[in-house]
Every structure is written in structure tokens, then in C-alpha cells.
Amino acid sequence: MPENDTDLVVVTNLRKTYGATVAVDDVSLTVHPGEIFGILGPNGAGKTTTVESIAGLRTPDAGTVRVVGLDPRKRRTEITSLIGVQLQASELPEKIKAREALELYASFYPNPADPADLLERLGLTKVRNTAFAKLSGGQKQRLSIALALIGNPRIAILDELTTGLDPQARRDTWELVKQIRDSGVTIILVTHFMEEAEYLCDRIAIIDNGLVVALDTPAGLIEAARSGQRITFRVRGELDDAILKALPAVDSVQHDGDRVVVTGNDDLLVAVVTVLAGRGLAPVDLQTERTTLDDAFLALAGRDFEGARR
């Protein structure tokens, strides 16, 4: 993978094993300044091992990692000041207060951010004297982000940031991540949530079984997987599937309860509506479904995130 002067992170042919288990196998990727770079994949795909190697927390068995041209394992002091990390398994003592945790972490850095300012930016001022154990799930995640930012890093690694959050807290966290990027921090976002990656990321590396199976913008990945249209509808009256199957634009006709599911090429919608109208049949609750990152992963890996084969 080509390297240029603007790449903040360059990972080349990374490999890491744990005994007989291959966690990461020949992963290569680059991260550019100012982007939200997503690492997307199912649980156990090798995402966390990849970012822990970038942060210098793991020693690769093969390959190289460079952060602003530096080897994370050999230049730990410099890397620590460049990267802020929020790991999935991060926990704090139950009784430590939000303010105390930030002040403690600030003491580790030569030029830390102002803890009070971070508490304000992340909406934690009102709970600054609340014990960690009594914070809500969303507040704990916001605090973990604050701890990743306390050293004024150029890069923040956020690993499975919204796991366990309710939908509103998840959305609030997404907006916070965008604000952090807009403040000048490059973000590496590890997730297994398709919607999260599609909403937030400028580029995405899809990792499966320790390999990068695709790397592109969300739109690029979706376009690569796009194979036509899919429409669903109900119909009042008798419909012979053979009528639809005879259309050149139709690939398949299936049923999901009382709904008809039709797939085909880009002419599908017009062709189906026209033939139904010609027979006096009106489609009810007709929906067109766009290609998603789920579809892209299925096309690339041959299975969904839960392991079901196509």
C-alpha cells in the first residue's frame, strides 16, 4: 500500500498470532489526517488486535506499524503523547469520581488538556463529582472519551464505543465523535455496528478473519456491492408470481409473510409497477430498499456478521 507524507498511520503486512490462533493476518492500511477511519468487522475479526498494535500495546509477529513515521514499540514515549486510546475493556475504580479520573490521567502527560474544559465539552460537568459506578452507560462512555483526549492527542482510537448504549445515547455519542474530529483530532473508530460505520466514517477497512477484505469510503463499498434493486409490497387481489418472473428486469420473486419481495436490475421498479397496473393490481405499502454495508460485507465475505452463509 503506498505511503505518502500525509499519512498519520501506516500499517503494512501486519500479522499477530496467539498460539495456534491467527488474530491478524497480513493487514495493511493507512489513516489520513482529519478523517474518521473505521475498522469494521464481526467480533473476533482482528479489529482490536490491529488497533492495539497501532497504539504500541501489542508486538506484531510480522509487518510494520508507523505512527507519524515512528515505530510504536520503539518510541513509546512519543507515541503516548500522540495517541489517545479508549479500549473496549477499559474500566475505572468504582468510587473514583469523574473529575478525579481526569485529573489523574492529566498528571501522566507533559501538556494535558484542562480537565474542567473536557468535562464541559463532553457534557459531564454536572456529574464531575459522581462516582464512576453511579454514572449511566452513556456518561461512562463520554468519560472514557475524555480520558482518551486528556493528553491532547493527534489521534484518538475509540474501540466499540457505543456497545451497550440505548439508541438515543448511541446517537448522542456519534455527534460527539463528529465534534471531536471537527476539533482537529483524527479518529480511528473500531466497531461492529454497520449503521455506526456508515454514518460516521470517511473511509472504512472491513476486516474478516484477520484480513482486510475491502477498504474504501462507505459509498464506494456500497456501490461495489450494489447489484440492482430490491422492492417489497403487498397486493390486493390474486398475483401469479410467473407474471413478475417473466419480466426481463426481475431476478427473483419471493414472499415474506403477506409481502412480495422482488429483486432485479435498475429497471425493476418501473417494470413491476407497470405490469401490475396493466392487470388492475395496485401495490400497497411499496418500499424500495437500498444497498447497505451489511450487503457489502455479505458480498465480500460470503456471510453476514453472525456467520450465516449466503
Side-chain angles (χ1 to χ4, degrees):
M1 186 170 294
E3 178 179 349
N4 60 63
D5 292 339
T6 66
D7 292 330
L8 279 183
V9 176
V10 179
V11 177
T12 307
N13 304 125
L14 182 70
R15 180 178 173 84
K16 179 66 178 177
T17 61
Y18 302 100
T21 301
V22 178
V24 176
D25 186 10
D26 198 28
V27 164
S28 296
L29 55 86
T30 61
V31 179
H32 308 319
E35 71 177 345
I36 299 176
F37 183 89
I39 297 180
L40 174 67
N43 292 329
K47 306 184 303 296
T48 296
T49 297
T50 298
V51 294
E52 287 180 346
S53 297
I54 292 172
L57 302 175
R58 299 282 181 188
T59 302
D61 298 325
T64 61
V65 177
R66 295 293 182 268
V67 178
V68 195
L70 304 176
D71 183 332
R73 295 296 301 175
K74 296 179 180 179
R75 307 289 289 275
R76 286 296 301 276
T77 301
E78 293 98 324
I79 295 300
T80 298
S81 65
L82 291 171
I83 298 180
V85 182
Q86 173 270 326
L87 293 176
Q88 184 179 4
S90 297
E91 279 294 331
L92 292 170
E94 291 188 355
K95 294 183 179 180
I96 194 169
K97 299 175 181 177
R99 170 185 53 80
E100 294 171 338
L102 274 175
E103 291 173 349
L104 174 64
Y105 275 55
S107 70
F108 302 154
Y109 298 94
N111 298 297
D114 178 26
D117 179 62
L118 271 181
L119 287 168
E120 180 66 28
R121 283 174 56 196
L122 275 73
L124 293 170
T125 299
K126 291 183 178 180
V127 295
R128 63 187 182 278
N129 291 317
T130 300
F132 179 75
K134 295 185 178 180
L135 296 176
S136 70
Q139 289 166 344
K140 287 180 179 179
Q141 292 295 58
R142 285 173 174 263
L143 179 57
S144 70
I145 296 172
L147 295 174
L149 298 176
I150 192 66
N152 278 321
R154 291 180 63 183
I155 305 164
I157 295 175
L158 307 178
D159 187 5
E160 299 291 3
L161 184 64
T162 61
T163 297
L165 298 186
D166 62 63
Q168 185 58 55
R170 180 171 294 166
R171 283 282 177 177
D172 291 344
T173 304
W174 290 356
E175 296 308 317
L176 178 59
V177 170
K178 283 192 169 184
Q179 292 171 20
I180 293 167
R181 187 272 305 277
D182 293 343
S183 73
V185 179
T186 298
I187 293 173
I188 300 175
L189 179 71
V190 180
T191 183
H192 68 274
F193 292 121
M194 297 287 194
E195 183 185 7
E196 181 168 283
E198 187 171 353
Y199 182 78
L200 286 175
C201 297
D202 299 295
R203 290 188 304 133
I204 298 169
I206 296 181
I207 295 183
D208 185 40
N209 292 322
L211 293 166
V212 175
V213 296
L215 198 165
D216 204 339
T217 64
L221 292 169
I222 289 170
E223 183 59 31
R226 187 171 180 271
S227 59
Q229 292 186 346
R230 183 175 188 264
I231 61 173
T232 70
F233 57 90
R234 292 182 290 110
V235 66
R236 294 193 179 104
E238 294 296 325
L239 173 63
D240 183 353
D241 288 356
I243 295 170
L244 299 179
K245 291 178 179 178
L247 295 172
V250 172
D251 292 332
S252 69
V253 179
Q254 298 176 318
H255 292 266
D256 183 7
D258 64 347
R259 297 189 67 80
V260 182
V261 182
V262 187
T263 62
N265 64 30
D266 290 346
D267 297 325
L268 177 68
L269 179 61
V270 172
V272 169
V273 171
T274 299
V275 76
L276 291 177
R279 294 178 177 270
L281 298 172
V284 179
D285 188 24
L286 187 147
Q287 300 176 10
T288 60
E289 299 182 3
R290 68 185 183 89
T291 304
T292 66
L293 278 178
D294 290 275
D295 300 316
F297 183 82
L298 182 61
L300 291 162
R303 62 185 179 87
D304 60 25
F305 265 27
E306 281 67 49
R309 293 285 169 183
R310 59 181 169 182

